[in-house]
Amino acid sequence: MWRGVLSNATPRHATSLLGLVLSLAAALMLAWTPQVTWGGSLSHVTLRCFANCSSHHILASNRETAVKKMAECSAEFRTDFVRVLQSRRKVFRMDFVRALQSRRKVAEDALLVEHGKSIEHPLYQKDPPSHFKGAMETCPRKEIEGFQEKLVEENLYLTTEEGEQGRVPVLILSLKDETHKRKPAIVFLHASYASKEWLRPLLEAYASRGYISIAIDSRYHGERAHTNTTYIDALVSAWRKGDTMPFIFDTVWDLIKLSDYLVERDDVDPARIGITGISLGGMHAWFAAAADARYSVSVPIIGVQGFRWAIDNDKWQARVDTIEPFFEAARIDLGKSSIDKEVVEKVWDRIAPGLDSKFDAPYSIPVIVPRPLLILNGADDLCCPLPGLKAPEESTAEAYTKSGSAEKFKLIAEPGIAHQMTSTMVKEASDWFDRFL
């Protein structure tokens, strides 16, 4: 077909068409190359590196060699993951060569910080489960006379990139301190459809114990939402346009920039910044700790799961149900009669590339070694099926042991508990931060 077109064209047109043919050929070749995705595939070297880090060969070697090797693996993982956060994929059409380009337009100047004011009526896109709030209110706190008068509240906005969603609302609570000493800080991430204000019981409890408590609105939540469907609308848009990553990854980018800000504050000890979150917030905490080593202690709550395991073992339904209207839109677009494994795989690949492969639990959890990591799940949580974490837990525990920090890793699955945060989890998280932060 192309030969017939070229034979009837003028020399200039023939040259142009030939260039188009060559470009298309290059594009098709690139389409089969793993690197042409959102920032590139995790290299074979990195995958082999993680395998070797958990192998008996490495574990049988001396500790210094093993620790060095794991550090190299972690650094390589972070490089690949951050590259994905920074890049986007153009939609392939006949007149475009698939190519990578930066999708985050970030000012070269210092991180812009604006002062805001307290939010009196935060937007909840759904009513948060009442038992979550009840659990948060059991968080250990220090009884301080005149606590509310001594509590300092800051409302800020950080600009992490251009555009409306690049303006991150931040809420910070701390106690007045005339000594001006640097304190440990903890970042808290809310669940789906909630907001930073929802976390206030935890923020105040930790502030009473001398921590600087920080919370942000995740992408398309709280102040970053305008309607009750903003989050779902953003997911559908990402599926159809492929230019944003509203599920987990874009908020992780914000958390990396947030740590840029926190380490520069005069009142924060840059070596003692923790991170935790609930459900979706637990995922944010998990991936932020993997992506940014400045988060020195992490406690993801009911958020860590094996995405690939769930697909392979037909246990993906509960997670999909949390954002079901979005998956339903994808099903219709794909012409399927029901949401099935194929729909799930295509959705994850589109809106969170690598979530069920190169950045999944087996690869992202071990990079947190040797920083303290406590994973809190429910034993009966269908969103985070416990069997899907068996292999990652074993390899991660092995890595912590080899690094000489076995006591810094624990996975607690509370018996009889589904997808909910409990007062026991709140207490375990509190004890963990008190111990290591």
Side-chain angles (χ1 to χ4, degrees), residues 9-16:
T10 63
R12 187 178 67 180
H13 289 161
T15 301
S16 176

Side-chain angles (χ1 to χ4, degrees), residues 5-6 8-20:
V5 173
L6 289 172
N8 296 322
T10 63
R12 187 178 67 180
H13 289 161
T15 301
S16 176
L17 287 168
L18 180 60
L20 176 59

Side-chain angles (χ1 to χ4, degrees), residues 258-363:
L258 176 65
S259 67
D260 288 345
Y261 167 72
L262 293 178
V263 297
E264 295 298 325
R265 282 181 62 112
D266 293 336
D267 56 348
V268 172
D269 184 341
R272 295 192 293 165
I273 301 176
I275 189 165
T276 185
I278 306 162
S279 192
L280 176 63
M283 295 184 197
H284 291 149
W286 156 24
F287 280 100
D292 193 334
R294 291 174 295 185
Y295 290 112
S296 57
V297 181
S298 52
V299 185
I301 302 173
I302 60 172
V304 180
Q305 73 163 99
F307 285 91
R308 184 72 250 169
W309 182 94
I311 292 174
D312 291 342
N313 291 274
D314 197 32
K315 300 293 184 182
W316 46 265
Q317 292 83 355
R319 175 60 63 197
V320 167
D321 285 347
T322 64
I323 44 178
E324 191 271 340
F326 156 54
F327 273 92
E328 184 63 19
R331 175 196 69 77
I332 294 171
D333 290 346
L334 291 170
K336 306 281 284 188
S337 60
S338 62
I339 300 172
D340 58 15
K341 173 181 176 179
E342 181 185 2
V343 174
V344 176
E345 287 182 306
K346 287 183 180 296
V347 164
W348 289 152
D349 182 62
R350 181 70 165 172
I351 70 166
L355 185 65
D356 63 352
S357 56
K358 58 196 174 189
F359 303 133
D360 202 357
Y363 305 114

Side-chain angles (χ1 to χ4, degrees), residues 381-425:
D381 188 346
L382 297 181
C383 289
C384 304
L386 194 57
L389 289 178
K390 185 176 186 298
E393 178 191 12
E394 291 176 351
S395 61
T396 302
E398 202 170 29
Y400 270 90
T401 297
K402 187 57 184 178
S403 70
S405 53
E407 77 285 357
K408 293 182 180 180
F409 172 68
K410 185 184 294 186
L411 188 156
I412 299 176
E414 190 171 344
I417 297 300
H419 192 66
Q420 67 181 90
M421 181 178 64
T422 67
S423 58
T424 300
M425 294 177 185

